[in-house]
Each structure stands twice: as structure tokens, then as C-alpha cells.
Amino acid sequence: MPKMKTISGAKKRFALTGTGKVKRKHAYHSHILTKKTNKRKRNLDHFAIVTPVDEKRVKALLGM
């Protein structure tokens, strides 16, 4: 059987932590930043953890 290919869009958007959780970036932090407050932009800058409901689907996209 052939190898499973990783979805290239997923490998650009998600990363694994050391414990196997999936990290993701926040949305709404790429453009139209002038109307957003500094606090809102600062909070969007941090990574978030994918919820357990979606984690299985994301890991399948990553070929795991």
C-alpha cells in the first residue's frame, strides 16, 4: 500500500508540541489591524491548542 501523503496546507498551519498536542495560530491577525486594539492584537499573537474534538481530524491531515 502506498504511503499516506501529508496535506501541505495542514503542515503549514499546525505544529505538534512535545506532548503530542496540536498548536495553531489565532485567526484575524493578518490584516486590517489598525481598527483592532493593542490588547486584542497581543492576545491573538500567542499560539492556541487545538480542541480535543478537532485534534483527531487535524492529526489525520498531518498523516499521523
Side-chain angles (χ1 to χ4, degrees), residues 2-49:
K3 291 182 181 178
M4 294 294 292
K5 284 193 174 182
T6 301
I7 307 298
S8 25
K11 70 183 173 189
K12 294 170 191 173
R13 288 172 172 85
F14 300 105
L16 287 177
T17 64
T19 56
K21 295 179 184 173
V22 183
K23 287 193 303 187
R24 66 171 175 85
K25 293 275 283 194
H26 284 279
Y28 307 109
H29 192 61
S30 58
H31 58 81
I32 315 177
L33 298 174
T34 52
K35 63 174 77 168
K36 294 171 187 154
T37 64
N38 286 334
K39 179 181 178 181
R40 183 172 166 195
K41 288 185 281 192
R42 186 171 60 244
N43 288 334
L44 290 172
D45 200 32
H46 302 297
F47 280 96
I49 302 294

